[in-house]
Amino acid sequence: MNRYLAGALLASALTMPACAQDAGQPAPHAKARSVTAPGNPILAEGEYYSTDPAPFVADDKLWILAGRDMAPRDVNDFIMPEWQLLETGDPASGKWTHYPEVARPHDVFAWAEEGRAYAGQIVQGPDKRFYFYAPVIEKDSDAPDRFAIGVAVADSPTGPWRDAHPQGPIVSQRVPVANNIQNIDPTVLIDEDGRVYLYWGTFGQARSVELERDMVTVKGREHTVEGLEGFFEAPWVFRREGTYYMLYAANKAGPGSECTPAVYHACIAYATATKPFGDWTYRGVVLDPVSSTTSHPGAVAFKGQWYLAYHTADAKEGGHFRRSVALDKMEWDDSVTPARIRKVVTTRRPGPAPQPTRNLAASAWATASNSPVPVQYWIAALNDGVTKASPLPPDMWGSWMPENPESQWIEYRWDKPVTLSGSRIWFWNDQPAGSSIGVAPPASWQIEYWDKARRAWRAVSATTPYGTEPGKFQTVAFAPVTTRCLRAVMQASGKGDEHAGMAVQEWEALGDEERLPTPRSAAVPAPEACD
């Protein structure tokens, strides 16, 4: 359960053959197409996935630069061979023009490898040309990490783009000075006095440097950015009314965190400063965790309204590596100094009408014997209605820790009694049944309910066996019970004092008849007791 999963994926990606990364690419210079988006995400049909949004304004239009996720379903890897653009004259209209492919790393930079078109940004320079700051993999480098930042230039946002610094990257682990960080996620600020600043970084390390007004040449020394509480990656810098703002993906994980309870997820936080290089002061959370584990911000003012662009996993067959760009209004509280960014209220396009179901789990609060749950997992995944062939740790509840107990339980609580007659559970494992290490299927399990009259937990009268096979639902039917609390009590596999951990992707509590689901309100606290 590696906290830095993304780092491991990147390390393996650097040795992936280009043909594997680029499989299924469309023809170069795909034609623009019209898109009608009645809400978020903008591209939702699953034909194109879009990620790492970088909004900008040009020619009285709002543009969004985005990478393109092309990972096959249930493949956990950042397969991103190209960049694309979205453009609109009015976000509220839902009318967008989509430019499916505007650049690929190796087409723009002769010194770059194919694939890995990570988060970049386009800005319009003082010469009215457009400059594209792009993290790519340097193909002829002996650096431990070969990600580097190049700069391309074009007369139009749609290109054609050419290398503005053919000598090579302007930032890498070798230039302008040696560093040992991964040099990705560039963001550029052209200040009101015309000075240009570049910021970048990931894995908790952020850097900044001034550029000459040619938009390419590094000027002065490199600065370490400090004061960004919980910084993980994806800085985005802008200035408003004399104050500098930096949005970033943060990972202040923990059960009481204002950011996220799960280490694999991120929120979007922000800091402010009175000077381009800081000192930076943490100000809070702008965007709560979204449906994808990664989160990436981009903010822009357009026709008097500020917007936040971000990505989610909400498109058709979307996922953590099949993300899609969303756009929502970003509002300000100008009654304080510096002005505070209000937490963004996310919106989604209308979905299909809910269907009747026997599953009552969505209206329950979940808790567990190992609460607070280890930060690599997320208990909210138990009743989110999602199962995956290749989940990440926060897609499930889990119990793994260095010393695993013999027994664990997960529990649902309702605010009023419900009648139940069955349950379905989806176990996950990375070790075989009987193992005493890693995460294995339970040796056995049973369903219990809270008997209010006896003030005790009682086993249900099961009429079917308790299966333990992982990777699919195991269904148990039992004589109906009316209760406010239900438990799945699991006995771990193992030998002697050594036991494996256990994990559950989804747990359903089945009523006696189908009815429309009634999800619980997030604003209502969980019941403190089962009586």
Side-chain angles (χ1 to χ4, degrees), residues 481-513:
V481 297
T482 299
T483 185
R484 282 187 53 216
C485 295
L486 195 73
R487 278 185 178 179
V489 181
M490 294 162 280
Q491 304 302 315
S493 67
K495 299 178 180 179
D497 294 332
E498 296 183 354
H499 299 91
M502 294 173 285
V504 174
Q505 269 206 72
E506 192 72 11
W507 179 33
E508 296 182 352
L510 305 179
D512 53 353
E513 62 182 20

Side-chain angles (χ1 to χ4, degrees), residues 250-512:
N251 190 287
K252 299 172 62 180
S257 172
E258 66 173 344
C259 177
T260 171
V263 74
Y264 284 74
H265 274 270
C267 67
I268 300 301
Y270 79 105
T272 64
T274 57
K275 298 177 182 179
F277 289 129
D279 298 334
W280 294 94
T281 301
Y282 174 77
R283 297 296 182 185
V285 173
V286 174
L287 182 70
D288 289 329
V290 294
S291 51
S292 57
T293 49
T294 60
S295 196
H296 195 103
V300 69
F302 179 61
K303 296 183 177 180
Q305 174 65 56
W306 279 86
Y307 294 91
L308 181 74
Y310 56 99
H311 62 225
T312 71
D314 295 338
K316 182 180 179 180
E317 297 187 349
H320 303 310
F321 301 90
R322 304 177 100 188
R323 300 158 293 180
S324 297
V325 169
L327 185 75
D328 277 306
K329 292 180 178 179
M330 191 171 81
E331 306 289 356
W332 296 86
D333 178 2
D334 287 308
S335 68
V336 296
T337 302
R340 179 176 65 89
I341 305 175
R342 301 184 190 274
K343 185 172 286 189
V344 171
V345 178
T346 59
T347 61
R348 288 188 63 176
R349 62 174 63 196
Q355 298 298 308
T357 178
R358 289 179 61 202
N359 182 21
L360 305 182
S363 60
W365 287 261
T367 187
S369 54
N370 64 335
S371 181
V373 174
V375 293
Q376 66 264 41
Y377 304 109
W378 201 339
I379 196 169
L382 276 179
N383 56 350
D384 65 359
V386 178
T387 58
K388 300 179 180 181
S390 301
L392 297 182
D395 296 324
M396 65 189 82
W397 163 83
S399 70
W400 185 91
M401 59 185 65
E403 295 182 5
N404 297 303
E406 184 176 0
S407 179
Q408 296 274 14
W409 51 259
I410 50 179
E411 179 182 324
Y412 283 150
R413 295 181 182 182
W414 288 268
D415 58 0
K416 56 185 178 181
V418 295
T419 299
L420 304 168
S421 58
S423 180
R424 301 205 308 163
I425 197 164
W426 186 300
F427 296 112
W428 181 88
N429 71 309
D430 62 10
Q431 297 295 324
S435 176
S436 58
I437 61 172
V439 177
S444 64
W445 65 288
Q446 69 177 16
I447 295 291
E448 297 179 352
Y449 71 99
W450 179 256
D451 186 331
K452 181 178 178 181
R454 299 188 180 186
R455 297 184 58 81
W457 290 98
R458 298 185 63 189
V460 299
S461 298
T463 59
T464 57
Y466 285 95
T468 60
E469 183 180 351
K472 63 181 183 179
F473 276 116
Q474 301 297 316
T475 303
V476 174
F478 49 82
V481 297
T482 299
T483 185
R484 282 187 53 216
C485 295
L486 195 73
R487 278 185 178 179
V489 181
M490 294 162 280
Q491 304 302 315
S493 67
K495 299 178 180 179
D497 294 332
E498 296 183 354
H499 299 91
M502 294 173 285
V504 174
Q505 269 206 72
E506 192 72 11
W507 179 33
E508 296 182 352
L510 305 179
D512 53 353

Side-chain angles (χ1 to χ4, degrees), residues 141 170 244 304 316 354 356 394 471:
S141 172
I170 64 167
Y244 298 89
K316 182 180 179 180

Side-chain angles (χ1 to χ4, degrees), residues 186-208:
T187 181
V188 172
L189 169 72
I190 302 177
D191 210 349
E192 295 174 359
D193 60 4
R195 296 173 71 176
V196 183
Y197 301 90
L198 171 69
Y199 308 79
W200 72 97
T202 186
F203 295 118
Q205 299 284 336
R207 300 287 187 270
S208 61

